[in-house]
Amino acid sequence: MSELLFPRGFRAVTAAASIKKVGRDDLALLVMPDGATAAALFTTNLFCAAPVQLSRQHLKDSRGHASALLLNSGCANAATGSLGASNAIDCVELIANALGVSALSVLVNSTGVIGTQLPMDRIAPLLAPLAKSACEADDAGSLEAYARAIMTTDTRPKMSTRVLQIGDIRIRLSGVAKGAGMIHPNMATMISVVTTDAQLSASELDMLLRDAADKSFHRISVDGDTSTNDSLFAFASGKAGRVDPELLRTALIEVCQELARMIVTDGEGFTRSMSVRVEGARTKEEATTVAKTVAQSLLVRCAVTGGDPNWGRIVAAAGRAGVRFDPSELRLYVGGIEIFAQGQPVVCDAQAVRAAFNGEHVAMILHLGATTGEVGDTNADEFLTSGLTEEYVRLNADYTT
Amino acid sequence: MSELLFPRGFRAVTAAASIKKVGRDDLALLVMPDGATAAALFTTNLFCAAPVQLSRQHLKDSRGHASALLLNSGCANAATGSLGASNAIDCVELIANALGVSALSVLVNSTGVIGTQLPMDRIAPLLAPLAKSACEADDAGSLEAYARAIMTTDTRPKMSTRVLQIGDIRIRLSGVAKGAGMIHPNMATMISVVTTDAQLSASELDMLLRDAADKSFHRISVDGDTSTNDSLFAFASGKAGRVDPELLRTALIEVCQELARMIVTDGEGFTRSMSVRVEGARTKEEATTVAKTVAQSLLVRCAVTGGDPNWGRIVAAAGRAGVRFDPSELRLYVGGIEIFAQGQPVVCDAQAVRAAFNGEHVAMILHLGATTGEVGDTNADEFLTSGLTEEYVRLNADYTT
């Protein structure tokens, strides 16, 4: 099987700077030799990391233009004060100088432990050679090597690609992501980079990206904690030529959804996934609130881990979401089986219910009864998450130690 | 050591109805032979259990008067529809008839699995004899036996008592509680019963109870899930005579706080507790929001379990609380050690920090910097919770199985 590469107009290289562990690539540089339009969504956390603040500013000042993106794993460079800020600036300037481009066109981000400083003595000497090797590279560079270099507690690299043939034009889209922990919808989620060789203006790219994030990264939760470094970047090199941006919408959504699913199914301590779909709400916002509340309930998530058909916890979580609905109108389906309706348990096959809680994926649908039509219910919303496991607790009880 | 008894004017008895397990007392009846004023706070969950709905109505219709309270463990009688409602009514009527009092003066509640029906064939025959034995009892009845009968996954009974000598008058207060899981502040928390022989009007009792709940049960969280059955009952028999209600305020708060602490330290899978105090907020509401967000963060709670000084998670959780503050003004103290200030780590003794995360109790203080005076900071608020443990997940992965 041939290696997955970035689309035309991109060069990706990686290196090992021993930031947290020795011997694995933990620096990833993406270079757009002829530039690219750029868009990004960043974390809403007040403690957004130094590189997030810098990249946000650069993206604004350059009006959505970029020549390079530097990422590292092992250290988030968050809650690191003025030293952290100047370290991020130093990284950008070293890359900009080596590439001979404006610092404004270089973006950065970091992922890993919060509150520690970047080991600049080990990182700085690598940056100019890294930029040089990117310029001299024979091919666009391996998606997998890039995805591996940004991993923290991820157990596997996360990639997704699409190829579209539109008339004579062949457009490629690729995406990589890292996830695993501190995953919660609040703008974007952790670090994802989407690239395409389509020609798009910065505002077209921004619009497509926001829509795709809403339908993917904003609809997953691993643990309810929003990171200090969440960033979703998108770059369009234009090398493949110009097509109607609307033709790319579906492919971009698919790439983002695939990455989002990969993030959930490689979440810390993952054993099985669960989805919560809410229908029949009065408003989309209310559907989102109920779906999110059930998806975040520790007790529901523990029951899913145990394959325990303790569905009372699902309706109890819906009932505390702060959304007004008539409890006697609520219907709960798990794995397609109607379990609860008219305020009481539905007589159903206990063995089938148990099997529905024991599958690879536990699919819950809650119908709030405020609207009747399920087909084309535009107020419906869905969240994807996973069971909460002992392994998650074990991993997070000694993350820095 | 002499057994703890209920105050004068109360009779408590228990019995075994094999509701979930065979051989342990799971019915608890409290009788006020000469009546009592009554107040209660109930869950805000839309799926409030059938007995909660009934008790709320009785308390309203009787204008805060009660003659008896029946509790059971093992089955919550929640999400049980019309059969659940009529079962709760049947329990009340059997008790009312046996005592020769109005059904309106009998309150009930249940705790245990959601979505299953009460085994009325086993419960009903016990109720009249239970009421009879309460009336004939020699003494007020054992607090401990009562507290044990309402336990679900609690590992020990929870009781607190106070005796006040005010002039010639000797007032007794007693409280019992059950907690362990599905604990979150949203009115009251799980089932607690506070009794006193002071003479108080229903509205005085209600006022004192709400204040005490705000300072105790509303400031703890075990898992962020609000139960369908949360109820805090208070009864005043008047047997000891009349004193200024204000003189009871502190003692009642203390009893409730002691019970609340017991609930946290006997939470499912408990190993160590943690408190999050927020000072220097612009408003009390903002302090509450930040304290609650940090106290509920799975990642912070996992770090506490592991004794891992991963304090970056604490500031990250504060930063995503949705409260605006200046990150560079935030100061974080753990175990009294200043760890983070001016947007960056404070140089401090790493071993001392590690020890602060490794104690029986991990005390966090976040100062948001919006106000400077810490003494008498009326906007301060504090939450008490515990580390999230593998044992919690294990217990809740197979609760019904």
Side-chain angles (χ1 to χ4, degrees):
Chain A
M1 202 180 96
S2 69
E3 208 179 10
L4 291 178
L5 300 178
F6 280 89
R8 281 166 290 171
F10 297 91
R11 293 279 182 279
V13 286
T14 60
S18 303
I19 297 172
K20 195 180 171 198
K21 285 179 192 166
V22 175
R24 59 158 284 207
D25 283 1
D26 47 17
L27 282 177
L29 178 66
L30 183 69
V31 173
M32 291 69 85
D34 299 319
T37 54
L41 282 80
F42 295 107
T43 182
T44 53
N45 196 310
L46 283 187
F47 285 93
C48 63
V52 168
Q53 296 179 41
L54 188 63
S55 292
R56 186 187 279 135
Q57 192 61 44
H58 282 193
L59 206 57
K60 193 178 159 200
D61 292 346
S62 71
R63 298 180 180 218
H65 170 83
S67 293
L69 168 68
L70 176 71
L71 299 178
N72 74 271
S73 59
C75 168
N77 194 6
T80 46
S82 53
L83 180 58
S86 73
N87 285 341
I89 291 171
D90 288 351
C91 287
V92 161
E93 291 188 343
L94 286 165
I95 297 289
N97 291 340
L99 293 174
V101 299
S102 154
L104 281 187
S105 74
V106 178
L107 306 175
V108 277
N109 204 355
S110 302
T111 174
V113 181
I114 298 168
T116 61
Q117 299 289 354
L118 287 174
M120 288 302 285
D121 57 327
R122 297 197 292 277
I123 293 173
L126 296 176
L127 295 182
L130 201 60
K132 191 157 176 277
S133 76
C135 295
E136 292 166 356
D138 286 341
D139 61 34
S142 157
L143 274 182
E144 180 172 339
Y146 193 87
R148 281 193 186 280
I150 60 172
M151 282 165 56
T152 51
T153 55
D154 306 63
T155 66
R156 48 185 183 266
K158 295 164 185 63
M159 301 158 279
S160 173
T161 62
R162 291 290 183 282
V163 179
L164 303 177
Q165 186 73 43
I166 303 168
D168 295 340
I169 295 179
R170 192 178 174 82
I171 304 270
R172 292 184 59 195
L173 283 140
S174 79
V176 299
K178 70 128 278 162
M182 226 181 245
I183 302 294
H184 194 59
N186 214 345
M187 284 305 285
T189 181
M190 298 309 284
I191 296 183
S192 304
V193 184
V194 180
T195 54
T196 179
D197 44 21
Q199 187 182 330
L200 295 167
S201 73
S203 65
E204 286 166 347
L205 187 60
D206 184 70
M207 177 203 63
L208 288 176
L209 189 67
R210 283 174 195 279
D211 180 52
D214 264 344
K215 296 184 167 73
S216 56
F217 297 111
H218 289 186
R219 291 295 178 272
I220 61 172
S221 179
V222 167
D223 51 23
D225 264 296
T226 301
S227 150
T228 51
N229 293 55
D230 285 353
S231 300
L232 167 61
F233 295 98
F235 302 103
S237 71
K239 294 289 179 189
R242 170 91 191 155
V243 295
D244 179 355
E246 283 307 312
L247 297 176
L248 302 180
R249 185 184 290 273
T250 304
L252 184 62
I253 291 170
E254 282 176 9
V255 163
C256 290
Q257 285 181 337
E258 200 168 344
L259 292 172
R261 265 197 306 275
M262 287 173 177
I263 285 175
V264 169
T265 57
D266 190 30
E268 289 168 340
F270 178 82
T271 55
R272 57 167 62 112
S273 57
M274 62 177 257
S275 57
V276 184
R277 181 174 167 81
V278 174
E279 298 174 347
R282 286 179 303 183
T283 64
K284 173 109 177 179
E285 200 186 357
E286 293 194 344
T288 308
T289 301
V290 173
K292 201 165 150 180
T293 304
V294 175
Q296 279 191 262
S297 160
L298 298 200
L299 290 169
V300 172
R301 295 181 58 211
C302 285
V304 163
T305 294
D308 182 4
N310 195 348
W311 56 266
R313 292 177 176 172
I314 304 170
V315 300
R320 71 164 167 90
V323 168
R324 285 278 130 199
F325 61 85
D326 180 351
S328 69
E329 289 291 323
L330 180 96
R331 298 200 299 277
L332 168 68
Y333 303 81
V334 179
I337 305 167
E338 190 177 33
I339 289 185
F340 181 82
Q342 298 181 304
Q344 59 196 324
V346 173
V347 179
C348 55
D349 180 352
Q351 210 169 347
V353 172
R354 189 165 293 271
F357 275 87
N358 252 309
E360 254 183 62
H361 177 77
V362 181
M364 307 171 186
I365 300 176
L366 289 134
H367 197 291
L368 303 189
T371 62
T372 47
E374 288 177 35
V375 179
D377 180 350
T378 52
N379 292 339
D381 204 359
E382 182 163 343
F383 261 75
L384 180 67
T385 183
S386 56
L388 179 69
T389 64
E390 294 172 50
E391 180 64 12
Y392 172 89
V393 175
R394 195 153 39 231
L395 273 168
N396 281 294
D398 59 356
Y399 181 64
T400 67
T401 47
Chain B
M1 200 180 99
S2 71
E3 207 179 13
L4 292 176
L5 300 177
F6 280 88
R8 282 165 290 170
F10 297 91
R11 293 279 182 280
V13 285
T14 61
S18 303
I19 297 172
K20 195 180 170 197
K21 286 179 190 164
V22 175
R24 60 158 282 209
D25 283 0
D26 47 16
L27 282 176
L29 178 66
L30 183 69
V31 173
M32 290 70 84
D34 299 318
T37 54
L41 282 81
F42 296 108
T43 182
T44 53
N45 196 309
L46 283 186
F47 285 94
C48 63
V52 168
Q53 297 178 42
L54 188 64
S55 292
R56 186 187 279 133
Q57 192 62 44
H58 281 194
L59 206 56
K60 191 179 161 200
D61 292 346
S62 71
R63 297 179 182 219
H65 171 83
S67 295
L69 167 69
L70 176 71
L71 299 178
N72 74 271
S73 60
C75 168
N77 193 5
T80 46
S82 53
L83 179 58
S86 73
N87 284 341
I89 291 170
D90 287 351
C91 287
V92 160
E93 290 189 342
L94 285 164
I95 296 289
N97 290 341
L99 294 175
V101 299
S102 153
L104 282 188
S105 74
V106 178
L107 307 174
V108 277
N109 203 355
S110 303
T111 174
V113 181
I114 299 168
T116 60
Q117 299 289 354
L118 287 174
M120 289 302 285
D121 55 329
R122 295 197 294 277
I123 293 174
L126 295 176
L127 296 182
L130 200 61
K132 193 158 174 280
S133 74
C135 295
E136 292 167 356
D138 285 339
D139 61 33
S142 157
L143 274 181
E144 180 171 341
Y146 194 86
R148 281 192 186 281
I150 61 173
M151 284 164 55
T152 50
T153 56
D154 306 63
T155 67
R156 48 184 183 267
K158 295 164 186 62
M159 302 159 277
S160 173
T161 61
R162 289 290 181 283
V163 180
L164 302 177
Q165 186 73 43
I166 303 169
D168 294 341
I169 295 179
R170 192 178 174 84
I171 304 270
R172 293 183 61 195
L173 282 139
S174 77
V176 298
K178 69 129 278 161
M182 225 181 244
I183 302 293
H184 194 56
N186 213 345
M187 285 306 286
T189 181
M190 298 310 285
I191 295 183
S192 303
V193 184
V194 180
T195 53
T196 179
D197 44 21
Q199 188 183 329
L200 295 166
S201 74
S203 64
E204 287 166 346
L205 187 61
D206 184 70
M207 178 203 63
L208 287 176
L209 188 68
R210 282 174 195 278
D211 180 51
D214 264 344
K215 296 183 166 74
S216 56
F217 298 112
H218 289 184
R219 291 297 177 271
I220 61 172
S221 179
V222 168
D223 51 21
D225 264 296
T226 302
S227 148
T228 49
N229 293 55
D230 284 353
S231 300
L232 167 60
F233 295 98
F235 302 103
S237 71
K239 294 287 177 190
R242 169 92 191 154
V243 295
D244 179 355
E246 284 307 312
L247 297 175
L248 302 179
R249 185 183 291 271
T250 305
L252 183 62
I253 291 170
E254 283 175 11
V255 164
C256 289
Q257 284 180 338
E258 200 169 344
L259 293 172
R261 266 196 307 275
M262 288 173 177
I263 285 175
V264 168
T265 57
D266 191 29
E268 289 168 340
F270 177 82
T271 55
R272 57 167 62 111
S273 57
M274 62 177 257
S275 58
V276 185
R277 180 173 168 82
V278 174
E279 297 173 348
R282 288 179 302 184
T283 64
K284 174 107 176 179
E285 198 185 0
E286 293 194 343
T288 308
T289 301
V290 173
K292 199 165 151 179
T293 304
V294 175
Q296 278 191 263
S297 160
L298 296 200
L299 290 169
V300 171
R301 296 181 58 210
C302 285
V304 163
T305 294
D308 182 4
N310 196 348
W311 57 265
R313 290 176 177 171
I314 303 171
V315 300
R320 69 164 167 90
V323 168
R324 285 278 131 200
F325 60 86
D326 180 352
S328 69
E329 291 291 323
L330 181 96
R331 298 200 300 278
L332 169 67
Y333 305 81
V334 178
I337 305 167
E338 190 179 33
I339 290 187
F340 180 82
Q342 299 182 302
Q344 57 197 324
V346 174
V347 179
C348 56
D349 180 353
Q351 212 169 344
V353 172
R354 190 166 292 272
F357 275 87
N358 251 310
E360 255 183 60
H361 176 76
V362 181
M364 307 170 186
I365 300 177
L366 289 133
H367 196 290
L368 303 189
T371 63
T372 49
E374 289 178 35
V375 178
D377 180 350
T378 51
N379 292 340
D381 204 359
E382 182 164 342
F383 261 75
L384 181 67
T385 182
S386 55
L388 179 68
T389 64
E390 294 172 50
E391 180 63 12
Y392 172 89
V393 176
R394 197 154 37 234
L395 273 168
N396 280 294
D398 59 356
Y399 182 66
T400 67
T401 47

